[in-house]
């Protein structure tokens, strides 16, 4: 028995990735892709042999949707899914503000609908191994955490503060903060943020450097800048290093790569190709299982609200020019 | 022939002595070992203080083999005697020490050269040259992450030596000072710093966020193991609006290897430390005094702000008129 799943909006760059993976999952029937602009939806739908439809039509035929809209549109699309009792896997970040994030979580909590965040790093094999070692005590007492999640500047609505809620801070804080919370069980207590617009001519920040402390006292540094050159051979990176009293462990989500140098291409001549286990695939399988009554998605909306609080504190730190406590 | 007295921990003094021996224009006339560890393998008289070494010798230069701030007495003794000094950064870790040295140096015929040896590395020089010629455009974020600040075996001995006389914050500041020096040299003056430092039984760790005067940002992370000596690990990345320059320890050390162990392809007198010592000797032999009594000043001033930031848990802005 297949589960009817839809892609709700193609605004997010991951919509095409999810569509391609869903179309190959035997337990899934990719019933359609919806969008306000039909050209983009048609392109995505044609690529995987599915239908284009309106958001409302999609909600009527799908049991679960992956919401890949602008962050500002999450609110309305979540309400639409809740009205139709359709399970939700939501692209990050949850909302453009902490208040809106809490409101979304409250509305979802009041329903019986399956909800989760599209946070694939919790399914990354290196990260899972790191968590196992941390929980087994191999790291010892945590002294410091260091993370990177840089990427190419995505452009489009990602650089529209009204649609995205900010720039690199809003876009590239979630994954590593979420994974560090998940691995260590600690919360971010304080944030000092340095931001600027240095790489591109944008109305939002593309530099995102966060100096944090965790609830156990460990320091936590994160570089989430849009500093990866557009012509880099790989889109970006996702790494975490744990420095402990017993040992230091580091995990690179995309470390399993090889290089392809092309003699024939006009554009990209060098490309790094990831060959490790695809965490997106595991994320989608888990979502389908949760609709079928299995375990819930790994990252909950409550987790997303806690990350939203860190993002909120980062922007407040920039305004105040000093470290600020995170208010959850 | 310039007569040099060296001051510092055994491993560092021996490394420098090995280089001076290869210079025709310099000779080591004494070494000062501030602790009771033996320097008997050195083929030179050993003194218990710089004052005694200066009394017994006609000294042309004092080489402090480590951060100047950790050898305040020797710095002052050499300055009082008007003798040129070389040390690693920082030369001070608090405002009082800084002001005393800067004002003292301005009144004496001696001078102080406190560059990081990194400036004399071909790798860092090439990176700086590329930045200057626009290879990456305007700097956005520079990132330095290292588990060992100095290459080769024995680096932990140096750390332990400095740790013996001070606390972990001062040692981490001394480690960070080398990268601050290179960043200041490559991207211009640092305007603001925010730093967190932690210590444990096995590791000391610090991360720093720096803002340059022109708005670029930099991060430095340093982890120093106190119980083991891991292979030097470094990752340097300069990202600008037109591209990125980066290297890691493999890029820096893979030119010659025995099995998997890196071997130095430069002769000691021609590696970065050898070249900084040669520059020191050349400056001593120049007939004219350097244009500034202390060079460079900014990295040590920033390192003082680093220490203040750690203590106060706040970002520290360095006033423009002090740079």
């Amino acid at each position: 028995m297949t589960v009817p799943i839809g892609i709700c909006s193609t605004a997010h760059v991951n919509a095409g990735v999810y569509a391609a993976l869903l179309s190959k999952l035997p337990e899934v029937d990719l019933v359609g892709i919806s969008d306000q602009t039909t050209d983009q939806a048609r392109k995505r739908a044609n690529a995987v042999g599915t239908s284009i439809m309106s958001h409302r039509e999609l909600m009527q035929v799908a049991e679960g949707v992956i919401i890949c809209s602008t962050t500002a549109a999450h609110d309305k699309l979540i309400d639409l899914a809740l009205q139709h009792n359709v399970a939700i896997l939501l692209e990050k970040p949850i909302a453009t503000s902490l208040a809106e994030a809490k409101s979304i979580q409250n509305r979802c909590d009041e329903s019986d609908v399956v909800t989760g965040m599209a946070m694939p790093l919790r399914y990354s094999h290196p990260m899972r191994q790191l968590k196992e070692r941390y929980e087994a005590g191999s790291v010892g007492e945590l002294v410091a955490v260091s993370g990177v999640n840089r990427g190419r500047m995505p452009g489009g609505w990602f650089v529209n503060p009204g649609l995205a809620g900010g720039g690199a801070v809003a876009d590239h804080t979630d994954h590593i903060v979420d994974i560090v919370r998940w691995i260590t069980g600690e919360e971010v207590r304080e944030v000092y943020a340095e931001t600027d617009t240095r790489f591109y001519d944008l109305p939002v920040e593309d530099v995102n450097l966060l100096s944090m402390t965790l609830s156990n006292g460990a320091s936590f540094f994160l570089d989430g800048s849009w500093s990866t050159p557009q012509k880099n051979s790989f889109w970006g990176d996702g790494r975490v290093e744990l420095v402990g009293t017993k040992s230091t462990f580091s995990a690179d989500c995309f470390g399993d790569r090889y290089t392809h140098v092309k003699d024939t291409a006009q554009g990209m001549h060098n490309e790094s190709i990831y060959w490790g286990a695809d965490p997106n695939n595991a994320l989608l399988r888990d979502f389908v299982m949760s609709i079928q009554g299995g375990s819930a998605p790994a990252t909950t909306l409550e987790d997303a609200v806690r990350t939203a609080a860190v993002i909120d504190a980062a922007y407040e730190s920039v305004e105040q020019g000093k470290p600020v406590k995170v208010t959850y | 022939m310039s007569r040099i007295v060296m001051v510092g921990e055994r491993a560092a003094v021996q490394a420098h002595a090995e280089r001076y021996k290869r210079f025709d224009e310099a000779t080591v006339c004494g070494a000062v070992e501030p602790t009771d560890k033996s320097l008997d393998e050195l083929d030179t008289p050993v003194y218990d203080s710089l004052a005694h070494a200066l009394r017994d010798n006609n000294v042309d230069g004092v080489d402090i083999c480590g951060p100047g701030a950790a050898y305040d007495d020797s710095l002052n003794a050499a300055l009082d005697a008007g003798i040129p000094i070389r040390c690693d950064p920082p030369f001070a870790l608090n405002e009082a020490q800084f002001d005393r040295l800067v004002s003292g140096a301005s009144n004496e015929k001696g001078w102080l050269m406190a560059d990081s040896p990194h400036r004399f590395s071909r790798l860092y020089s090439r990176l700086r040259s590329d930045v200057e010629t626009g290879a990456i455009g305007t700097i956005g974020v520079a990132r330095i992450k290292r588990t060992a600040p100095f290459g080769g075996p024995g680096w932990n001995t140096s750390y332990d030596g400095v740790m013996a006389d001070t606390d972990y914050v001062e040692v981490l500041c001394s480690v960070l000072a080398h990268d601050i020096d290179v960043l200041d040299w490559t991207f211009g003056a640092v305007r603001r710093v925010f730093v967190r430092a932690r210590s444990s039984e096995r590791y000391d760790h610090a991360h720093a966020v720096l803002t340059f005067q022109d708005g670029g940002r930099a991060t430095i992370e340093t982890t120093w193991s106190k119980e083991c000596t891991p292979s030097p690990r470094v990752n340097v990345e300069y990202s600008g609006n037109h591209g990125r320059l980066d290297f890691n320890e493999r890029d820096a050390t893979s030119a010659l290897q025995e099995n998997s162990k890196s071997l130095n392809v430069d002769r000691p007198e021609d590696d970065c430390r050898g070249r900084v010592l040669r520059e020191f000797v050349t400056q001593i032999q120049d007939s004219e005094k350097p244009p500034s009594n202390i060079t460079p000043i900014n990295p040590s001033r920033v390192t003082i702000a680093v220490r203040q930031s750690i203590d106060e848990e706040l970002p520290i802005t360095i006033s423009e008129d002090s740079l």
Side-chain angles (χ1 to χ4, degrees):
Chain A
M1 191 73 174
T2 55
V3 178
I5 303 286
I7 305 283
C8 185
S9 177
T10 58
H12 199 282
V13 292
N14 286 341
V17 175
Y18 296 142
L21 291 172
L22 286 169
S23 68
K24 293 175 185 168
L25 287 182
E27 63 268 42
V28 168
D29 177 15
L30 180 58
V31 291
I33 297 176
S34 66
D35 211 340
Q36 299 292 104
T37 55
T38 52
D39 283 350
Q40 178 74 351
R42 181 175 293 111
K43 185 178 167 188
R44 295 271 183 242
N46 288 343
V48 295
T50 190
S51 307
I52 59 166
M53 52 187 71
S54 70
H55 295 319
R56 190 169 294 278
E57 287 169 340
L58 183 66
M59 299 299 178
Q60 287 167 346
V61 296
E63 283 188 34
V65 290
I66 303 167
I67 296 179
C68 297
S69 66
T70 65
T71 307
H74 284 179
D75 203 40
K76 286 183 178 175
L77 293 173
I78 286 169
D79 281 346
L80 192 62
L82 293 177
Q83 286 168 22
H84 289 82
N85 203 32
V86 172
I88 300 164
L89 190 64
L90 183 65
E91 253 305 336
K92 56 84 193 170
I94 182 173
T96 56
S97 71
L98 178 58
E100 193 178 303
K102 287 180 175 177
S103 170
I104 287 173
Q105 187 203 345
N106 289 339
R107 273 143 45 210
C108 289
D109 284 350
E110 289 169 4
S111 77
D112 293 327
V113 167
V114 170
T115 56
M117 297 299 297
M119 302 290 276
L121 295 197
R122 290 202 188 193
Y123 300 91
S124 154
H125 285 191
M127 286 303 171
R128 293 202 158 199
Q129 293 279 318
L130 184 61
K131 181 176 172 62
E132 284 176 18
R133 280 164 171 73
Y134 182 82
E135 290 176 343
S138 302
V139 174
E141 186 185 337
L142 195 61
V143 175
V145 182
S146 169
V148 290
N149 183 204
R150 286 86 53 91
R152 298 179 184 132
M153 191 278 292
W157 65 268
F158 286 92
V159 301
N160 180 327
L163 297 177
V169 173
D171 185 36
H172 271 189
T173 298
D174 292 64
H175 287 301
I176 301 300
V177 166
D178 180 68
I179 210 74
V180 168
R181 289 183 60 250
W182 180 63
I183 289 171
T184 66
E186 306 292 339
E187 298 292 347
V188 177
R189 187 174 59 189
E190 182 186 270
V191 181
Y192 173 75
E194 281 282 1
T195 67
D196 203 347
T197 307
R198 301 286 302 175
F199 295 95
Y200 304 92
D201 183 13
L202 302 172
V204 291
E205 76 283 352
D206 52 25
V207 171
N208 168 25
L209 304 176
L210 304 184
S211 169
M212 298 172 273
T213 55
L214 293 173
S215 43
N216 64 353
S219 63
F220 176 11
F221 176 74
L222 169 60
D223 181 352
S225 306
W226 287 336
S227 59
T228 305
Q230 297 293 337
K231 293 185 178 177
N232 199 55
S233 63
F234 201 65
W235 65 267
D237 47 29
R239 299 197 303 270
V240 168
E241 181 170 280
L242 305 179
V243 178
T245 52
K246 286 187 180 176
S247 190
T248 294
F249 282 90
S250 58
D252 182 349
C253 292
F254 307 102
D256 293 338
R257 295 202 302 255
Y258 66 87
T259 303
H260 179 192
V261 181
K262 300 174 190 172
D263 254 352
T264 54
Q266 292 298 316
M268 294 289 285
H269 296 273
N270 295 314
E271 189 180 3
S272 291
I273 297 166
Y274 176 69
W275 53 265
D278 187 350
N280 283 317
N281 216 25
L283 166 82
L284 297 173
R285 283 180 185 276
D286 203 30
F287 180 51
V288 174
M289 281 178 58
S290 68
I291 294 172
Q292 292 172 322
S295 60
T299 303
T300 66
L301 297 196
E302 183 183 355
D303 291 320
V305 168
R306 292 197 165 259
T307 309
V310 177
I311 294 170
D312 191 67
Y315 282 123
E316 189 183 338
S317 170
V318 172
E319 278 191 21
Q320 294 190 16
K322 63 181 184 181
V324 300
K325 302 290 181 195
V326 181
T327 305
Y328 292 103
Chain B
M1 178 76 76
S2 296
R3 295 169 58 81
I4 308 293
V5 169
M6 298 184 298
V7 180
E9 292 296 325
R10 177 191 179 116
V13 166
Q14 283 181 327
H16 284 214
E18 180 186 0
R19 285 159 177 81
Y20 284 120
K21 271 185 186 174
R22 295 166 183 249
F23 297 164
D24 292 335
E25 63 275 40
T27 187
V28 174
C29 62
V32 177
E33 168 57 70
T35 66
D36 55 4
K37 291 176 190 169
S38 170
L39 279 172
D40 53 9
E41 289 177 23
L42 280 180
D43 183 21
T44 190
V46 177
Y47 299 89
D48 60 0
S49 73
L50 182 60
H52 288 157
L54 297 180
R55 184 190 60 197
D56 290 358
N57 293 278
N58 182 22
V59 177
D60 298 306
V62 173
D63 180 18
I64 294 176
C65 309
Y71 299 95
D72 195 40
D73 290 347
S74 294
L75 270 180
N76 285 317
L79 275 177
D80 288 345
I83 295 173
I85 316 160
R86 191 218 68 85
C87 68
D88 287 355
F91 59 76
L93 275 172
N94 60 62
E95 290 286 354
Q97 192 179 19
F98 182 90
D99 291 342
R100 180 162 35 81
L101 280 167
V102 170
S103 61
S106 66
N107 296 325
E108 300 292 341
K109 62 180 179 180
W111 43 265
L112 172 63
M113 172 183 166
D115 310 272
S116 168
H118 291 350
R119 291 196 188 203
F120 295 83
S121 130
R122 291 191 187 88
L123 176 54
Y124 281 100
S125 294
R126 177 56 194 255
L127 287 166
R128 181 174 183 258
S129 169
D130 283 343
V131 168
E132 284 185 331
T133 55
I136 58 170
T138 304
I139 188 65
V141 175
R143 179 181 176 85
I144 300 176
K145 186 172 171 62
R146 67 171 75 244
T147 56
F150 310 116
W155 60 267
N156 216 36
T157 306
S158 171
Y159 185 78
D160 284 346
V162 182
M163 271 295 287
D165 296 326
T166 186
D167 68 3
Y168 78 97
V169 169
E170 294 201 355
V171 184
L172 286 172
C173 284
S174 298
V175 174
L176 290 169
H178 285 267
D179 292 321
I180 291 168
D181 183 76
V182 169
L183 291 170
D184 180 275
W185 179 57
T186 307
F187 299 108
V190 172
R191 186 180 68 201
R192 184 171 61 243
V193 296
F194 180 77
V195 190
R196 297 186 199 271
R198 294 207 78 214
S199 182
S200 73
E201 290 178 6
R202 189 162 180 174
Y203 295 109
D204 291 344
H205 177 89
H207 72 239
V209 187
L210 298 91
T211 303
F212 298 111
Q213 285 282 8
D214 80 346
R217 302 298 198 280
T219 71
I220 309 170
E221 290 177 84
T222 295
T223 307
W224 202 314
S225 169
K226 290 189 272 192
E227 294 180 1
C228 60
T229 56
S231 299
R233 184 160 73 87
V234 62
N235 198 309
V236 173
E237 182 182 287
Y238 299 161
S239 289
N241 63 344
H242 290 159
R244 177 186 283 176
L245 300 167
D246 70 79
F247 76 87
N248 60 32
E249 66 282 357
R250 177 161 177 77
D251 298 319
T253 61
S254 62
L256 180 65
Q257 294 188 324
E258 180 182 7
N259 297 322
S260 59
K261 184 183 173 188
S262 297
L263 302 175
N264 195 349
V265 295
D266 283 329
R267 291 170 298 171
E269 68 271 29
D270 199 30
D271 63 9
C272 63
R273 198 156 280 277
R275 285 199 293 277
V276 72
L277 299 185
R278 187 180 295 280
E279 175 66 19
F280 178 51
V281 172
T282 300
Q283 286 201 17
I284 290 172
Q285 293 181 336
D286 278 353
S287 55
E288 292 200 4
K289 198 173 166 181
S292 175
N293 291 71
I294 298 183
T295 55
I297 285 184
N298 284 355
S300 292
R301 196 192 306 273
V302 173
T303 308
I304 292 167
V306 164
R307 184 180 179 182
Q308 190 183 349
S309 178
I310 293 170
D311 290 346
E312 298 179 11
E313 300 181 346
L314 287 170
I316 303 297
T317 298
I318 298 142
S319 61
E320 287 190 33
D321 56 3
S322 68
L323 294 172

